[in-house]
């Protein structure tokens, strides 16, 4: 198994879009949250986050999903270099209402508006990652 | 091979492959100085697939072999726009051109931690209020004193209404604030520019705008107004904690380039204070905030120059960069050289020296050189070295002992000010004040 956050971020995002187009909003929303998580973790690895041999974060505080990862990223991405990748993100945590456990929720609890909201937020995380790719910070 | 050689070598190699690639190629130089190639898409499109793939392989082989550590490894050498779909990437018309075969181009996309603003596109048109940026490459050349004198001069200067000009002065030298306290002394407003950037990032900037401006006593006795926005105010408190956040490229609605944030600040202050003239006292040297004041504000810029080797060497870096700026034609006629601290002894010879240095700088970078027998472009700019109307021609400000440690609020030095600044102020009124903006 090889962990590659950049690759996974794109995969979850693209698959989320596919499901969204098919009005499968509940699982699309799930994937947008995971896409955002992977994009930010890709940036964090580029900024020096320590990972295990399998690519998992070593620090327990970084071994989290949304919405906790959003906050962890805000503290992690500091300084002249790190703050560049904070800039595309909004101040308010857009994943406040997202849970990795929503995979257990009833389908009707997640509609198009919520999926779009999280898709927009995941797009801003992708922007952060793509800036880091272009800068050579994220491989 | 070193940093200097790598880009040119990569550009030559990309140029050689343009006929096979059949598209514009961008060389992306990352923050480490490593180069890779940005193409539209990994799909061949209308090109024969085998030929396209062979061209990519050959280019990768060439670049990696030639550049070594200055290029990405083969597997990572190519980036595709489709992988960077969320970013507004430069286009061939907005990026520095490295090479062309007449059909396609090799362009540069340089990723910089700081300094990218010197490549920014200036705004189209003229701002509604006349704006002037005072910029110096080195410190201690009288830039803030000149801002002070100019504000006083303009406040006294009658407009058609019979009143003096309403002047708004901004101290943008956040690392070394000066003109705010020179003009206001202890009578600072509650907040300054550094406070606004911190508050604005949280969407609270508008709240403090009315508390960022104070009038200078220097306006007493004039029929105009000198409103000053200092870098800090009486309630700023943690200056370094705020300065450390002031350059964040994030506004209340997310990502926003710093010059755009500055433009919003200045536009907000202009709406609030309704000035006739805005003076922007810029930070010294090649800093991004100086670039914002010089390029993004649509201002006429006064470039301070003392005739020293280090001054010209530094300007040379900037002008050489501008030589390849795709929109240099939009701002080159807004750059004006000022000869500062001109000695009273051998004045003419000193000014002639300044003039020749400035001419050579402008000629080699921003003026048009039209070949004999060729018609000049319609917006051609080219002057002779001695043309007094030319942008490079230095307007002299004479050194005067009376202005050393000048504290205008304690005692206004009328005679030394006139002696030093008379010629410059006449030129400013005649040439700059009559250009652009709302009269």
């Amino acid at each position: 198994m090889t962990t590659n956050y950049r690759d996974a971020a794109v995969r979850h995002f693209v698959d989320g879009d596919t499901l969204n187009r098919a009005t499968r909003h509940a699982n699309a929303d799930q994937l947008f949250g995971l896409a955002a998580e992977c994009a930010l973790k890709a940036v964090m690895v580029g900024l020096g986050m320590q990972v295990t041999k399998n690519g998992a974060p070593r620090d327990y505080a970084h071994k989290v999903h949304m919405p906790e990862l959003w906050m962890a990223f805000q503290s992690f991405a500091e300084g002249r270099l790190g703050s560049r990748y904070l800039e595309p993100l909004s101040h308010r945590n857009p994943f406040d209402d997202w849970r990795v456990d929503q995979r257990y929720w009833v389908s009707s609890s997640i509609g198009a508006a919520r999926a779009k909201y999280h898709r927009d937020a995941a797009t801003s995380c992708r922007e952060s990652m793509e800036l880091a790719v272009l800068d050579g910070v994220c491989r | 091979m070193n940093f200097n050689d790598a880009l040119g070598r990569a550009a030559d190699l990309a140029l050689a492959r343009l006929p096979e690639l059949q598209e514009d190629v961008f060389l992306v130089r990352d923050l480490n100085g490593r180069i890779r190639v940005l193409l539209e898409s990994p799909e061949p499109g209308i090109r024969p697939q085998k030929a396209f793939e062979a061209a990519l392989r050959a280019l990768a082989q060439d670049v990696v072999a030639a550049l070594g550590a200055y290029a990405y490894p083969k597997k990572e050498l190519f980036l595709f726009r489709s992988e960077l779909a969320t970013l507004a990437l430069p286009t061939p018309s907005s990026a520095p051109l490295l090479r062309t075969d007449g059909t396609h181009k090799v362009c540069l996309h340089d990723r910089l931690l700081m300094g990218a603003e010197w490549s920014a596109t200036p705004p189209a048109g003229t701002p509604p209020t006349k704006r002037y940026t005072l910029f110096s490459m080195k410190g201690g050349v009288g830039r803030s004193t000149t801002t002070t004198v100019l504000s006083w001069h303009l406040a006294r200067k009658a407009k058609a209404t019979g009143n003096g000009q309403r002047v708004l002065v901004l101290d943008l030298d956040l690392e070394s604030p000066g003109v705010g306290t020179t003009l206001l002394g202890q009578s600072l407003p509650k907040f300054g520019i550094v406070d606004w950037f911190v508050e604005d990032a949280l969407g609270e900037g508008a709240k403090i705008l009315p508390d960022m401006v104070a009038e200078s006593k220097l306006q007493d006795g004039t029929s105009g107004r000198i409103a000053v926005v200092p870098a800090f105010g009486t309630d700023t408190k943690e200056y370094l904690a705020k300065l450390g956040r002031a350059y964040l490229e994030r506004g209340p609605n997310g990502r926003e380039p710093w010059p755009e944030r500055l433009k919003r600040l200045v536009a907000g202050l202009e709406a609030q204070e309704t000035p006739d003239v805005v003076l922007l006292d810029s930070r010294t040297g090649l800093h991004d905030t100086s670039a914002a004041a010089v390029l993004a504000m649509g201002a006429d810029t006064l470039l301070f120059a003392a005739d020293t080797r280090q001054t010209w060497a530094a300007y040379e870096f900037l002008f050489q960069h501008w030589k390849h700026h795709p929109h240099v034609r939009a701002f080159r006629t807004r750059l004006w050289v000022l000869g500062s601290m001109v000695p009273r002894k051998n004045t003419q010879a000193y000014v002639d020296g300044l003039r020749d240095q400035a001419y050579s700088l402008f000629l080699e970078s921003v003026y048009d050189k039209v070949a004999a027998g060729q018609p000049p472009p319609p917006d051609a700019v080219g002057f002779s070295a001695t043309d007094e109307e030319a942008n490079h021609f230095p307007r002299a400000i004479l050194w005067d002992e009376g202005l050393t440690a000048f504290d205008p609020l304690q005692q206004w030095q009328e005679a030394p000010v006139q002696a030093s600044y008379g010629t410059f102020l006449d030129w400013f009124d005649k040439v700059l004040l009559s250009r652009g903006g709302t009269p």
Side-chain angles (χ1 to χ4, degrees), chain B residues 354-400:
Chain B
L354 271 176
R355 181 199 65 200
D356 292 344
Q357 289 280 7
Y359 182 64
S360 147
L361 191 68
F362 276 65
L363 185 67
E364 291 305 320
S365 51
V366 300
Y367 283 168
D368 289 303
K369 281 194 232 174
V370 181
Q374 294 290 315
D379 61 345
V381 172
F383 296 96
S384 70
T386 54
D387 190 336
E388 292 189 16
E389 290 181 9
N391 293 77
H392 74 270
F393 195 90
R395 285 81 204 175
I397 295 173
L398 301 177
W399 186 82
D400 194 292

Side-chain angles (χ1 to χ4, degrees), chain B residues 282-427:
Chain B
S282 154
R283 183 184 161 156
T284 296
L286 296 171
H287 193 264
D288 266 356
T289 57
S290 320
V294 171
L295 286 186
M297 306 307 297
D300 279 286
T301 297
L302 304 173
L303 303 166
F304 283 69
D307 196 11
T308 64
R309 194 170 297 169
Q310 57 269 42
T311 298
W312 296 116
Y315 273 121
E316 176 98 13
F317 287 135
L318 178 57
F319 276 70
Q320 277 304 314
H321 181 74
W322 278 344
K323 185 175 182 175
H324 304 289
H325 193 299
H327 302 289
V328 66
R329 307 179 90 79
F331 64 87
R332 59 185 177 171
T333 55
R334 288 190 171 276
L335 307 171
W336 304 94
V337 175
L338 229 74
S340 58
M341 309 184 88
V342 171
R344 291 182 178 275
K345 210 172 161 188
N346 298 325
T347 300
Q348 193 55 50
Y350 184 89
V351 173
D352 289 350
L354 271 176
R355 181 199 65 200
D356 292 344
Q357 289 280 7
Y359 182 64
S360 147
L361 191 68
F362 276 65
L363 185 67
E364 291 305 320
S365 51
V366 300
Y367 283 168
D368 289 303
K369 281 194 232 174
V370 181
Q374 294 290 315
D379 61 345
V381 172
F383 296 96
S384 70
T386 54
D387 190 336
E388 292 189 16
E389 290 181 9
N391 293 77
H392 74 270
F393 195 90
R395 285 81 204 175
I397 295 173
L398 301 177
W399 186 82
D400 194 292
E401 199 172 1
L403 295 179
T404 313
F406 179 42
D407 183 351
L409 297 180
Q410 282 292 322
Q411 193 181 5
W412 183 254
Q413 303 281 355
E414 180 84 31
V417 165
Q418 285 299 347
S420 284
Y421 282 91
T423 313
F424 161 70
L425 294 174
D426 282 348
W427 167 81

